[in-house]
Amino acid sequence: MAIYEAIFIMDSLVPPKDIEVAVERFSGIIKENGGTVRKIDKWGKKRLAYEIEKKQYGYYVSIEFEGTGNIPSLLESDFNFNDKVLRYLVYRFNKNKLKVMKLKEKDKEEAA
């Protein structure tokens, strides 16, 4: 199973409860299709580099997960269906990034 990361930007005017529901929905899609969620980072409200649909701010969320090759396409179709998602990116970690992650984990274990 490969390791992926899905980063998406939601409309900043969406209530926090709806953002939580959306994150649970996307992580549920991953779990239903045999994947495991490794980490969910909510970066919060940030200014966009350029306006998207006349909006200057967005709420950023990152989901790191392990899964098979069909999960990213399922997530992308759900991102397209959700009107509150302004932009998204789903990518697979390359070998070099995985090596760095493993080295950091080893360093943390040795320090503890």
Side-chain angles (χ1 to χ4, degrees), residues 22-35 37 63 75:
V23 170
E24 289 299 319
R25 176 185 172 99
F26 299 139
S27 60
I29 290 172
I30 294 167
K31 292 174 186 173
E32 288 171 3
N33 292 290
V37 176
I63 301 175
L75 276 176

Side-chain angles (χ1 to χ4, degrees), residues 14 16 88:
V14 173
Y88 64 86

